[in-house]
mmCIF file with all atom_site columns, all heavy atoms in Angstrom:
data_model
loop_
_atom_site.group_PDB
_atom_site.id
_atom_site.type_symbol
_atom_site.label_atom_id
_atom_site.label_alt_id
_atom_site.label_comp_id
_atom_site.label_asym_id
_atom_site.label_entity_id
_atom_site.label_seq_id
_atom_site.pdbx_PDB_ins_code
_atom_site.Cartn_x
_atom_site.Cartn_y
_atom_site.Cartn_z
_atom_site.occupancy
_atom_site.B_iso_or_equiv
_atom_site.pdbx_formal_charge
_atom_site.auth_seq_id
_atom_site.auth_comp_id
_atom_site.auth_asym_id
_atom_site.auth_atom_id
_atom_site.pdbx_PDB_model_num
ATOM 1   N N   . ALA Y 1 24 ? 188.930 -12.968 -71.996 1.00 97.00 ? 159 ALA Y N   1
ATOM 2   C CA  . ALA Y 1 24 ? 190.005 -12.049 -71.633 1.00 97.00 ? 159 ALA Y CA  1
ATOM 3   C C   . ALA Y 1 24 ? 190.382 -12.191 -70.163 1.00 97.00 ? 159 ALA Y C   1
ATOM 4   O O   . ALA Y 1 24 ? 191.564 -12.187 -69.800 1.00 97.00 ? 159 ALA Y O   1
ATOM 5   C CB  . ALA Y 1 24 ? 189.587 -10.615 -71.936 1.00 97.00 ? 159 ALA Y CB  1
ATOM 6   N N   . GLU Y 1 25 ? 189.368 -12.350 -69.316 1.00 98.00 ? 160 GLU Y N   1
ATOM 7   C CA  . GLU Y 1 25 ? 189.628 -12.533 -67.884 1.00 98.00 ? 160 GLU Y CA  1
ATOM 8   C C   . GLU Y 1 25 ? 190.537 -13.729 -67.642 1.00 98.00 ? 160 GLU Y C   1
ATOM 9   O O   . GLU Y 1 25 ? 191.519 -13.646 -66.894 1.00 98.00 ? 160 GLU Y O   1
ATOM 10  C CB  . GLU Y 1 25 ? 188.310 -12.814 -67.148 1.00 98.00 ? 160 GLU Y CB  1
ATOM 11  C CG  . GLU Y 1 25 ? 187.602 -11.569 -66.636 1.00 98.00 ? 160 GLU Y CG  1
ATOM 12  C CD  . GLU Y 1 25 ? 186.195 -11.920 -66.137 1.00 98.00 ? 160 GLU Y CD  1
ATOM 13  O OE1 . GLU Y 1 25 ? 186.000 -13.020 -65.558 1.00 98.00 ? 160 GLU Y OE1 1
ATOM 14  O OE2 . GLU Y 1 25 ? 185.307 -11.089 -66.370 1.00 98.00 ? 160 GLU Y OE2 1
ATOM 15  N N   . ALA Y 1 26 ? 190.206 -14.837 -68.297 1.00 98.00 ? 161 ALA Y N   1
ATOM 16  C CA  . ALA Y 1 26 ? 190.980 -16.063 -68.087 1.00 98.00 ? 161 ALA Y CA  1
ATOM 17  C C   . ALA Y 1 26 ? 192.384 -15.918 -68.662 1.00 98.00 ? 161 ALA Y C   1
ATOM 18  O O   . ALA Y 1 26 ? 193.355 -16.390 -68.076 1.00 98.00 ? 161 ALA Y O   1
ATOM 19  C CB  . ALA Y 1 26 ? 190.265 -17.251 -68.715 1.00 98.00 ? 161 ALA Y CB  1
ATOM 20  N N   . ALA Y 1 27 ? 192.478 -15.253 -69.812 1.00 98.00 ? 162 ALA Y N   1
ATOM 21  C CA  . ALA Y 1 27 ? 193.790 -15.103 -70.450 1.00 98.00 ? 162 ALA Y CA  1
ATOM 22  C C   . ALA Y 1 27 ? 194.712 -14.236 -69.591 1.00 98.00 ? 162 ALA Y C   1
ATOM 23  O O   . ALA Y 1 27 ? 195.919 -14.455 -69.537 1.00 98.00 ? 162 ALA Y O   1
ATOM 24  C CB  . ALA Y 1 27 ? 193.632 -14.500 -71.842 1.00 98.00 ? 162 ALA Y CB  1
ATOM 25  N N   . ALA Y 1 28 ? 194.134 -13.266 -68.896 1.00 98.00 ? 163 ALA Y N   1
ATOM 26  C CA  . ALA Y 1 28 ? 194.947 -12.356 -68.087 1.00 98.00 ? 163 ALA Y CA  1
ATOM 27  C C   . ALA Y 1 28 ? 195.627 -13.103 -66.939 1.00 98.00 ? 163 ALA Y C   1
ATOM 28  O O   . ALA Y 1 28 ? 196.763 -12.799 -66.581 1.00 98.00 ? 163 ALA Y O   1
ATOM 29  C CB  . ALA Y 1 28 ? 194.071 -11.226 -67.537 1.00 98.00 ? 163 ALA Y CB  1
ATOM 30  N N   . ASP Y 1 29 ? 194.954 -14.076 -66.369 1.00 98.00 ? 164 ASP Y N   1
ATOM 31  C CA  . ASP Y 1 29 ? 195.538 -14.849 -65.268 1.00 98.00 ? 164 ASP Y CA  1
ATOM 32  C C   . ASP Y 1 29 ? 194.853 -16.209 -65.174 1.00 98.00 ? 164 ASP Y C   1
ATOM 33  O O   . ASP Y 1 29 ? 193.899 -16.406 -64.412 1.00 98.00 ? 164 ASP Y O   1
ATOM 34  C CB  . ASP Y 1 29 ? 195.375 -14.077 -63.945 1.00 98.00 ? 164 ASP Y CB  1
ATOM 35  C CG  . ASP Y 1 29 ? 196.173 -14.719 -62.828 1.00 98.00 ? 164 ASP Y CG  1
ATOM 36  O OD1 . ASP Y 1 29 ? 196.600 -15.893 -62.976 1.00 98.00 ? 164 ASP Y OD1 1
ATOM 37  O OD2 . ASP Y 1 29 ? 196.355 -14.052 -61.790 1.00 98.00 ? 164 ASP Y OD2 1
ATOM 38  N N   . PRO Y 1 30 ? 195.330 -17.185 -65.989 1.00 98.00 ? 165 PRO Y N   1
ATOM 39  C CA  . PRO Y 1 30 ? 194.666 -18.493 -66.035 1.00 98.00 ? 165 PRO Y CA  1
ATOM 40  C C   . PRO Y 1 30 ? 194.598 -19.179 -64.666 1.00 98.00 ? 165 PRO Y C   1
ATOM 41  O O   . PRO Y 1 30 ? 193.600 -19.818 -64.348 1.00 98.00 ? 165 PRO Y O   1
ATOM 42  C CB  . PRO Y 1 30 ? 195.538 -19.321 -66.990 1.00 98.00 ? 165 PRO Y CB  1
ATOM 43  C CG  . PRO Y 1 30 ? 196.347 -18.338 -67.762 1.00 98.00 ? 165 PRO Y CG  1
ATOM 44  C CD  . PRO Y 1 30 ? 196.479 -17.096 -66.929 1.00 98.00 ? 165 PRO Y CD  1
ATOM 45  N N   . PHE Y 1 31 ? 195.633 -19.044 -63.851 1.00 97.00 ? 166 PHE Y N   1
ATOM 46  C CA  . PHE Y 1 31 ? 195.597 -19.724 -62.551 1.00 97.00 ? 166 PHE Y CA  1
ATOM 47  C C   . PHE Y 1 31 ? 194.522 -19.120 -61.653 1.00 97.00 ? 166 PHE Y C   1
ATOM 48  O O   . PHE Y 1 31 ? 193.797 -19.841 -60.958 1.00 97.00 ? 166 PHE Y O   1
ATOM 49  C CB  . PHE Y 1 31 ? 196.972 -19.690 -61.875 1.00 97.00 ? 166 PHE Y CB  1
ATOM 50  C CG  . PHE Y 1 31 ? 197.994 -20.526 -62.609 1.00 97.00 ? 166 PHE Y CG  1
ATOM 51  C CD1 . PHE Y 1 31 ? 199.276 -20.042 -62.836 1.00 97.00 ? 166 PHE Y CD1 1
ATOM 52  C CD2 . PHE Y 1 31 ? 197.677 -21.792 -63.085 1.00 97.00 ? 166 PHE Y CD2 1
ATOM 53  C CE1 . PHE Y 1 31 ? 200.210 -20.815 -63.520 1.00 97.00 ? 166 PHE Y CE1 1
ATOM 54  C CE2 . PHE Y 1 31 ? 198.609 -22.566 -63.774 1.00 97.00 ? 166 PHE Y CE2 1
ATOM 55  C CZ  . PHE Y 1 31 ? 199.886 -22.075 -63.992 1.00 97.00 ? 166 PHE Y CZ  1
ATOM 56  N N   . ALA Y 1 32 ? 194.405 -17.790 -61.698 1.00 98.00 ? 167 ALA Y N   1
ATOM 57  C CA  . ALA Y 1 32 ? 193.357 -17.137 -60.905 1.00 98.00 ? 167 ALA Y CA  1
ATOM 58  C C   . ALA Y 1 32 ? 191.981 -17.564 -61.427 1.00 98.00 ? 167 ALA Y C   1
ATOM 59  O O   . ALA Y 1 32 ? 191.043 -17.793 -60.648 1.00 98.00 ? 167 ALA Y O   1
ATOM 60  C CB  . ALA Y 1 32 ? 193.504 -15.619 -60.983 1.00 98.00 ? 167 ALA Y CB  1
ATOM 61  N N   . PHE Y 1 33 ? 191.883 -17.702 -62.759 1.00 98.00 ? 168 PHE Y N   1
ATOM 62  C CA  . PHE Y 1 33 ? 190.627 -18.133 -63.364 1.00 98.00 ? 168 PHE Y CA  1
ATOM 63  C C   . PHE Y 1 33 ? 190.233 -19.521 -62.861 1.00 98.00 ? 168 PHE Y C   1
ATOM 64  O O   . PHE Y 1 33 ? 189.095 -19.743 -62.422 1.00 98.00 ? 168 PHE Y O   1
ATOM 65  C CB  . PHE Y 1 33 ? 190.759 -18.131 -64.891 1.00 98.00 ? 168 PHE Y CB  1
ATOM 66  C CG  . PHE Y 1 33 ? 189.622 -18.795 -65.599 1.00 98.00 ? 168 PHE Y CG  1
ATOM 67  C CD1 . PHE Y 1 33 ? 188.411 -18.145 -65.761 1.00 98.00 ? 168 PHE Y CD1 1
ATOM 68  C CD2 . PHE Y 1 33 ? 189.750 -20.092 -66.087 1.00 98.00 ? 168 PHE Y CD2 1
ATOM 69  C CE1 . PHE Y 1 33 ? 187.342 -18.766 -66.406 1.00 98.00 ? 168 PHE Y CE1 1
ATOM 70  C CE2 . PHE Y 1 33 ? 188.695 -20.724 -66.732 1.00 98.00 ? 168 PHE Y CE2 1
ATOM 71  C CZ  . PHE Y 1 33 ? 187.495 -20.062 -66.887 1.00 98.00 ? 168 PHE Y CZ  1
ATOM 72  N N   . TRP Y 1 34 ? 191.198 -20.454 -62.886 1.00 98.00 ? 169 TRP Y N   1
ATOM 73  C CA  . TRP Y 1 34 ? 190.863 -21.821 -62.457 1.00 98.00 ? 169 TRP Y CA  1
ATOM 74  C C   . TRP Y 1 34 ? 190.606 -21.877 -60.954 1.00 98.00 ? 169 TRP Y C   1
ATOM 75  O O   . TRP Y 1 34 ? 189.785 -22.665 -60.482 1.00 98.00 ? 169 TRP Y O   1
ATOM 76  C CB  . TRP Y 1 34 ? 191.951 -22.801 -62.893 1.00 98.00 ? 169 TRP Y CB  1
ATOM 77  C CG  . TRP Y 1 34 ? 191.887 -23.098 -64.367 1.00 98.00 ? 169 TRP Y CG  1
ATOM 78  C CD1 . TRP Y 1 34 ? 192.852 -22.864 -65.305 1.00 98.00 ? 169 TRP Y CD1 1
ATOM 79  C CD2 . TRP Y 1 34 ? 190.770 -23.683 -65.077 1.00 98.00 ? 169 TRP Y CD2 1
ATOM 80  N NE1 . TRP Y 1 34 ? 192.427 -23.266 -66.556 1.00 98.00 ? 169 TRP Y NE1 1
ATOM 81  C CE2 . TRP Y 1 34 ? 191.156 -23.767 -66.446 1.00 98.00 ? 169 TRP Y CE2 1
ATOM 82  C CE3 . TRP Y 1 34 ? 189.499 -24.132 -64.707 1.00 98.00 ? 169 TRP Y CE3 1
ATOM 83  C CZ2 . TRP Y 1 34 ? 190.299 -24.289 -67.424 1.00 98.00 ? 169 TRP Y CZ2 1
ATOM 84  C CZ3 . TRP Y 1 34 ? 188.653 -24.653 -65.686 1.00 98.00 ? 169 TRP Y CZ3 1
ATOM 85  C CH2 . TRP Y 1 34 ? 189.054 -24.721 -67.020 1.00 98.00 ? 169 TRP Y CH2 1
ATOM 86  N N   . ALA Y 1 35 ? 191.313 -21.038 -60.206 1.00 98.00 ? 170 ALA Y N   1
ATOM 87  C CA  . ALA Y 1 35 ? 191.063 -21.003 -58.759 1.00 98.00 ? 170 ALA Y CA  1
ATOM 88  C C   . ALA Y 1 35 ? 189.627 -20.544 -58.494 1.00 98.00 ? 170 ALA Y C   1
ATOM 89  O O   . ALA Y 1 35 ? 188.927 -21.082 -57.628 1.00 98.00 ? 170 ALA Y O   1
ATOM 90  C CB  . ALA Y 1 35 ? 192.065 -20.078 -58.074 1.00 98.00 ? 170 ALA Y CB  1
ATOM 91  N N   . GLU Y 1 36 ? 189.175 -19.567 -59.279 1.00 98.00 ? 171 GLU Y N   1
ATOM 92  C CA  . GLU Y 1 36 ? 187.798 -19.094 -59.128 1.00 98.00 ? 171 GLU Y CA  1
ATOM 93  C C   . GLU Y 1 36 ? 186.816 -20.240 -59.422 1.00 98.00 ? 171 GLU Y C   1
ATOM 94  O O   . GLU Y 1 36 ? 185.819 -20.411 -58.722 1.00 98.00 ? 171 GLU Y O   1
ATOM 95  C CB  . GLU Y 1 36 ? 187.578 -17.924 -60.092 1.00 98.00 ? 171 GLU Y CB  1
ATOM 96  C CG  . GLU Y 1 36 ? 186.260 -17.201 -59.900 1.00 98.00 ? 171 GLU Y CG  1
ATOM 97  C CD  . GLU Y 1 36 ? 186.015 -16.192 -61.024 1.00 98.00 ? 171 GLU Y CD  1
ATOM 98  O OE1 . GLU Y 1 36 ? 187.005 -15.615 -61.552 1.00 98.00 ? 171 GLU Y OE1 1
ATOM 99  O OE2 . GLU Y 1 36 ? 184.834 -16.005 -61.390 1.00 98.00 ? 171 GLU Y OE2 1
ATOM 100 N N   . GLN Y 1 37 ? 187.113 -21.013 -60.475 1.00 98.00 ? 172 GLN Y N   1
ATOM 101 C CA  . GLN Y 1 37 ? 186.203 -22.125 -60.823 1.00 98.00 ? 172 GLN Y CA  1
ATOM 102 C C   . GLN Y 1 37 ? 186.257 -23.220 -59.762 1.00 98.00 ? 172 GLN Y C   1
ATOM 103 O O   . GLN Y 1 37 ? 185.249 -23.870 -59.481 1.00 98.00 ? 172 GLN Y O   1
ATOM 104 C CB  . GLN Y 1 37 ? 186.524 -22.695 -62.208 1.00 98.00 ? 172 GLN Y CB  1
ATOM 105 C CG  . GLN Y 1 37 ? 186.590 -21.671 -63.336 1.00 98.00 ? 172 GLN Y CG  1
ATOM 106 C CD  . GLN Y 1 37 ? 185.586 -20.536 -63.202 1.00 98.00 ? 172 GLN Y CD  1
ATOM 107 O OE1 . GLN Y 1 37 ? 184.466 -20.721 -62.703 1.00 98.00 ? 172 GLN Y OE1 1
ATOM 108 N NE2 . GLN Y 1 37 ? 185.985 -19.349 -63.633 1.00 98.00 ? 172 GLN Y NE2 1
ATOM 109 N N   . ALA Y 1 38 ? 187.437 -23.440 -59.176 1.00 98.00 ? 173 ALA Y N   1
ATOM 110 C CA  . ALA Y 1 38 ? 187.550 -24.434 -58.094 1.00 98.00 ? 173 ALA Y CA  1
ATOM 111 C C   . ALA Y 1 38 ? 186.669 -24.021 -56.916 1.00 98.00 ? 173 ALA Y C   1
ATOM 112 O O   . ALA Y 1 38 ? 186.136 -24.866 -56.195 1.00 98.00 ? 173 ALA Y O   1
ATOM 113 C CB  . ALA Y 1 38 ? 189.003 -24.577 -57.646 1.00 98.00 ? 173 ALA Y CB  1
ATOM 114 N N   . GLY Y 1 39 ? 186.496 -22.723 -56.775 1.00 98.00 ? 174 GLY Y N   1
ATOM 115 C CA  . GLY Y 1 39 ? 185.660 -22.199 -55.696 1.00 98.00 ? 174 GLY Y CA  1
ATOM 116 C C   . GLY Y 1 39 ? 184.190 -22.547 -55.853 1.00 98.00 ? 174 GLY Y C   1
ATOM 117 O O   . GLY Y 1 39 ? 183.396 -22.367 -54.917 1.00 98.00 ? 174 GLY Y O   1
#
Side-chain angles (χ1 to χ4, degrees):
E160 270 170 36
D164 190 344
F166 292 136
F168 169 78
W169 285 119
E171 189 189 328
Q172 308 324 326

